[in-house]
Amino acid sequence: MSVKDFIEKDYYAALGVPKNADADAIKKAYRKLAVKFHPDKNKGDTDSEERFKEISEAYNVLGDDARRAEYDEVRSVSASGGYRMPRGGGAPSGGAGFDFNDLFGGAGGGSADFGSTFSDLFGGGGGGRRRGPRRGDDFETRTQIGFRDAVEGVTVALRITTDGRCTVCAGTGARPGTRISTCTTCQGLGQVSRNAGGFAFAEPCPTCHGRGQVVEVPCTNCHGRGTAAQTRTINARIPAGVRDGQRIRLKGKGGPGEAGGPAGDLFVTVNVTAGKIFGRQGKHLTLTLPLRFDEAALGADVRVPTLQGDSVTLRIPAGTTNGRTFRVKGRGVTTTKGDKGDLLVTVEVAVPQRLDGAMKDAVEAYRSASLDIDPRAELFAHEGTP
Ligand SMILES: [Zn+2]
Ligand SMILES: [Zn+2]
């Protein structure tokens, strides 16, 4: 699809919906027509085939909020005579994956996505020109949260600094009350054609840097760029179960949409502080549990803390070896998907650093009683070892 297609084709008529139809109505109209004219149902009927192509193309644009906004904008500008097709080179053709940023090279400063490129080309300064709905920008930030907050979920205040539209000049770049005139180099198109090796390339107008307009007295706040850094605080709910390094998407928490367009999204990369006694293995919590030798040898019921604040009793069977892991069901992390993990308890036999008289006597009595047991016998039972 190209700008030329946008100007010449009436996609609303193709789907038989009014220009103010909402997304649902457009989807319904498309489905109905797509079923009716589907090639499988109309084998060999070229009229149906043409019609099917037409409605597919129309829905491809109108079914996507951002593309629909661009289409509306191009058509409203073209209807008011503000857009003239460049001579010779033709309109920039935008096939699938075509990058308008390459063409206009971030014209006008700020984030030059497809939408704002068109805004730069056609928007602003015209004085009351109607702008189509435009989706707000996506924001990207990171935050650090505590171990328990990551498990339970937490609301954090995020400070976001973005290059937003300058509030003093409303993005025009002109000092309020001063004149903005149409660029004479590009006649307001924002781009000029350059011929190279038989091909015509469109490139940003060097005079107005793609804006299509020339400002006489630049805005003092943004120095004529039309954009200025804006800091805002967004309260965001980090869901329970987030992993260290996880990037979460908070829908609608990005930049505000324009002219009824939806808000953008906020992407937050979350770093989680290591826990003091608990660790994380995905949805499972981990805990190292020190045991006395007698508890490991004879067995014992041991109290184990949980992250939830209470404690559970773990039965240690007689003869538990060092490093053995026990599972306490359901005491882990509830993930962002609602999965419940376990608490994995790994025992570590503690060797006392100091023995008082009675303890020493007892250990020595144990030694005398167990002289026949050689825990290293296996090491010497193999071939080749002395
Ligand atoms: Zn300004
Ligand atoms: Zn220009």
Side-chain angles (χ1 to χ4, degrees):
M1 266 158 288
S2 65
V3 173
K4 193 164 176 287
D5 283 338
F6 276 15
I7 292 170
E8 288 176 356
K9 296 185 180 173
D10 189 344
Y11 293 141
Y12 291 100
L15 293 181
V17 293
K19 285 193 172 50
N20 60 0
D22 64 11
D24 251 333
I26 288 172
K27 195 191 254 178
K28 267 193 198 134
Y30 164 69
R31 280 200 181 144
K32 210 171 144 195
L33 292 168
V35 168
K36 189 171 169 195
F37 293 104
H38 198 278
D40 288 352
K41 272 195 175 173
N42 303 278
K43 280 202 168 56
D45 182 352
T46 49
D47 279 350
S48 290
E49 200 181 313
E50 268 316 299
R51 188 85 178 88
F52 185 74
K53 270 188 204 154
E54 189 182 88
I55 58 181
S56 301
E57 186 184 332
Y59 184 67
N60 198 15
V61 173
L62 299 186
D64 179 294
D65 285 345
R67 249 177 268 158
R68 183 183 176 186
E70 282 145 21
Y71 174 70
D72 287 342
E73 187 156 6
V74 168
R75 283 184 68 87
S76 79
V77 173
S78 115
S80 68
Y83 185 84
R84 274 180 288 160
M85 299 294 289
R87 262 172 294 152
S93 73
F98 183 87
D99 188 354
F100 270 79
N101 292 337
D102 287 345
L103 195 58
F104 299 115
S111 64
D113 60 342
F114 196 9
S116 68
T117 301
F118 272 102
S119 303
D120 287 341
L121 268 176
F122 306 121
R129 177 180 287 162
R130 199 186 64 79
R131 297 170 63 89
R134 179 176 172 262
R135 187 176 176 277
D137 291 326
D138 289 339
F139 294 164
E140 180 86 48
T141 189
R142 47 192 326 133
T143 189
Q144 176 96 35
I145 62 173
F147 185 85
R148 179 183 286 266
D149 287 342
V151 173
E152 294 172 349
V154 65
T155 300
V156 290
L158 300 168
R159 281 170 68 81
I160 314 279
T161 301
T162 51
D163 232 12
R165 176 190 293 223
C166 172
T167 50
V168 174
C169 62
T172 62
R175 190 141 131 209
T178 64
R179 260 167 55 88
I180 301 170
S181 46
T182 302
C183 174
T184 51
T185 306
C186 62
Q187 277 93 42
L189 281 175
Q191 53 164 303
V192 290
S193 290
R194 180 170 62 88
N195 285 301
F199 291 97
F201 288 97
E203 52 183 28
C205 170
T207 307
C208 62
H209 306 290
R211 300 182 72 89
Q213 291 145 3
V214 180
V215 159
E216 285 171 7
V217 186
C219 165
T220 47
N221 186 47
C222 64
H223 308 288
R225 289 186 305 125
T227 57
Q230 289 166 349
T231 301
R232 64 189 99 191
T233 303
I234 296 175
N235 285 319
R237 180 75 191 163
I238 306 294
V242 69
R243 281 177 286 106
D244 181 40
Q246 193 175 342
R247 185 166 172 266
I248 58 172
R249 173 184 176 194
L250 301 166
K251 214 168 149 39
K253 288 279 189 178
E258 285 174 26
D265 299 332
L266 170 61
F267 291 90
V268 188
T269 302
V270 184
N271 289 106
V272 180
T273 311
K276 284 201 182 76
I277 61 166
F278 294 100
R280 275 276 293 275
Q281 269 178 24
K283 63 180 179 177
H284 302 308
L285 287 175
T286 59
L287 176 72
T288 299
L289 180 74
L291 285 184
R292 287 198 316 267
F293 167 75
D294 60 287
E295 291 172 327
L298 303 173
D301 286 345
V302 180
R303 248 166 31 91
V304 174
T306 69
L307 194 72
Q308 289 78 18
D310 54 355
S311 61
V312 291
T313 300
L314 187 64
R315 171 145 294 178
I316 304 294
T320 291
T321 50
N322 188 50
R324 181 167 167 191
T325 297
F326 296 90
R327 182 179 296 263
V328 184
K329 276 240 170 269
R331 290 309 194 113
V333 179
T334 304
T335 65
T336 45
K337 285 174 191 151
D339 241 2
K340 226 176 167 116
D342 304 327
L343 172 60
L344 305 178
V345 181
T346 302
V347 304
E348 185 182 81
V349 176
V351 177
Q353 302 300 295
R354 233 170 241 265
L355 295 175
D356 69 15
M359 283 160 71
K360 199 166 181 190
D361 290 347
V363 175
E364 276 175 354
Y366 170 76
R367 170 152 67 184
S368 316
S370 56
L371 283 177
D372 288 345
I373 302 171
D374 181 3
R376 291 167 295 278
E378 265 291 296
L379 298 182
F380 297 94
H382 295 284
E383 274 182 290
T385 34

